[in-house]
Amino acid sequence: MEAAGVSVKLAALRYQGEWGFKVSEKRYAGFGGIDFYDVPFPCWVMGMLKIIRQEKINVIHAHTYGAANRSWLAAQLLGIPLVYEIHSLLGEELERDKLGRGWKFQLNHWLERIVLRNTDHVVVLGQAVKQVLMDEQGIPASKISVIYPGVDLAEFAPSSNRVRNRKKLFPGRFVVMYVGQLGYPTQGVNLLLETIPLVTQRHPEVLFAFVGGPAGVAAEMQLGLGEFQSKAMFLTEVDSAKLPEIIAQADILVHPRLDCRDNYSVQSKIGIYLASGKPIVATSVADYNFLLGELQAGILVKPEKRSLADGIGKILSNQISKEKLINNALQVASKFFDINKSIINYLSIFNKLVLWKNT
């Protein structure tokens, strides 16, 4: 955003940790160092009012249900447009954190319904999420935009210097790779593990590479493979800067997500997969039916082990044109996941809201 001439200020409206009434400026060490405002409970409203006035904020962009719920009143009081970006549906996110459907869920759900109906615009990461908001929350389609996660395509492109100048990690092996968290059951990693015997018995040259952590979960998964342990490798301590050169060594990229509402939002992972110039096998969940299926940018399979193994096998046995899949994938990445186009889409929304508020 700042490269496009837009000044961005970050605020963390937190509930956990020490409470207080003082807004303080802090620095996050990650990503090369990021300055942000630390706004503790119960200072959310007064803290946001102070930041908005001090920094002359024109738009609030909330990235979680907590941020939206906690900043909404300040936005209302000062007439500042609020854009609520939904990364996952609230109920499923709380379930995943084992908070159940008790008072915390009920309170957050009640607040979110109020915010959704009064926020100026909603951004979602998938058409499936948009449909849920329309059907269950009564949000009009005109108030919802689908913007898939932006990716620096050049970083992962086959022509990238980082990709070409890589250290070989899997010499002499045909690599089927998964990239991402291993500990979330909805990502379908266990499903992929179950396909290892089915695939490697027919194609013994294949190595399954799992790139992600946590390390403890990876160790348990490795042991659980029994006699097939040699057919899998787990890379858990990976610097994100090394991802392009690691992904470049895959022959097939797999995303075996399970069919549940927690997976209605599209992750940046699939944008990275598409940009890498590798054949993709994924389960037919939510927007993948469009992005990979209708646009023929990957092989779609049912979220079950035999179907997933068959999809991988089609590429291994050259039953499908890898060149066609890759060409389509690169086009889909450019059209829907280019970070520069995403910024343009966000700025278009922000500018329209500011103009509308000022008329």
Side-chain angles (χ1 to χ4, degrees), residues 140-157:
S142 60
K143 197 175 176 179
I144 309 171
S145 295
V146 177
I147 302 179
Y148 295 121
V151 173
D152 183 353
L153 302 183
E155 187 176 12
F156 294 91

Side-chain angles (χ1 to χ4, degrees), residues 35-62:
D35 296 322
F36 69 96
Y37 286 100
D38 181 61
V39 187
F41 176 83
C43 191
W44 296 333
V45 176
M46 296 305 296
M48 284 300 297
L49 291 174
K50 176 182 177 181
I51 295 169
I52 291 169
R53 292 182 175 122
Q54 178 177 307
E55 299 289 356
K56 298 180 172 56
I57 301 297
N58 300 114
V59 178
I60 296 174
H61 186 187

Side-chain angles (χ1 to χ4, degrees), residues 58 78-81 350-359:
N58 300 114
L78 292 183
I80 301 296
F350 297 161
N351 287 330
K352 287 177 182 177
L353 290 175
V354 171
L355 288 173
W356 173 68
K357 285 284 187 177
N358 290 335
T359 56

Side-chain angles (χ1 to χ4, degrees), residues 77-289:
L77 290 172
L78 292 183
I80 301 296
L82 173 64
V83 176
Y84 176 16
E85 180 164 333
I86 297 178
H87 288 236
S88 64
L89 293 166
L90 176 59
E92 280 61 40
E93 186 167 333
L94 288 173
E95 282 292 334
R96 186 178 65 204
D97 292 337
K98 304 186 187 307
L99 297 178
R101 301 278 173 168
W103 70 267
K104 184 174 278 191
F105 168 79
Q106 296 296 338
L107 176 61
N108 278 285
H109 194 48
W110 175 73
L111 286 171
E112 189 188 42
R113 289 177 70 89
I114 294 174
V115 171
L116 277 170
R117 291 172 181 175
N118 292 278
T119 194
D120 297 286
H121 203 78
V122 181
V123 174
V124 295
L125 307 184
Q127 292 288 346
V129 180
K130 179 177 181 177
Q131 196 63 51
V132 168
L133 294 183
M134 293 167 58
D135 294 344
E136 299 182 9
Q137 302 284 4
I139 310 300
S142 60
K143 197 175 176 179
I144 309 171
S145 295
V146 177
I147 302 179
Y148 295 121
V151 173
D152 183 353
L153 302 183
E155 187 176 12
F156 294 91
S159 59
S160 167
N161 286 331
R162 280 209 233 175
V163 166
R164 290 200 304 266
N165 302 325
R166 62 184 185 266
K167 177 184 176 182
K168 292 190 179 298
L169 297 172
F170 321 102
R173 303 299 294 271
F174 192 101
V175 179
V176 175
M177 184 179 290
Y178 166 85
V179 180
Q181 276 282 344
L182 303 178
Y184 294 149
T186 57
Q187 290 300 304
V189 180
N190 286 326
L191 179 64
L192 183 56
L193 290 169
E194 291 173 1
T195 70
I196 292 178
L198 299 176
V199 172
T200 56
Q201 284 172 350
R202 292 184 180 181
H203 304 275
E205 74 283 6
V206 170
L207 175 72
F208 283 75
F210 296 83
V211 184
V217 174
E220 291 178 9
M221 289 179 170
Q222 184 91 57
L223 286 174
L225 288 171
E227 62 182 298
F228 293 95
Q229 287 188 44
S230 64
K231 299 297 184 180
M233 178 183 289
F234 291 81
L235 303 177
T236 58
E237 304 297 331
V238 176
D239 184 345
S240 60
K242 297 287 186 181
L243 271 182
E245 61 187 77
I246 293 174
I247 292 174
Q249 299 184 56
D251 294 287
I252 299 174
L253 293 168
V254 183
H255 199 187
R257 305 178 97 189
L258 303 185
D259 191 2
C260 59
R261 284 163 61 112
D262 198 31
N263 285 333
Y264 281 8
S265 291
V266 172
Q267 295 177 312
S268 59
K269 177 189 310 184
I270 199 64
I272 290 170
Y273 278 18
L274 290 162
S276 69
K278 304 290 180 180
I280 300 168
V281 179
T283 46
S284 54
V285 174
D287 285 35
Y288 284 12
N289 289 295

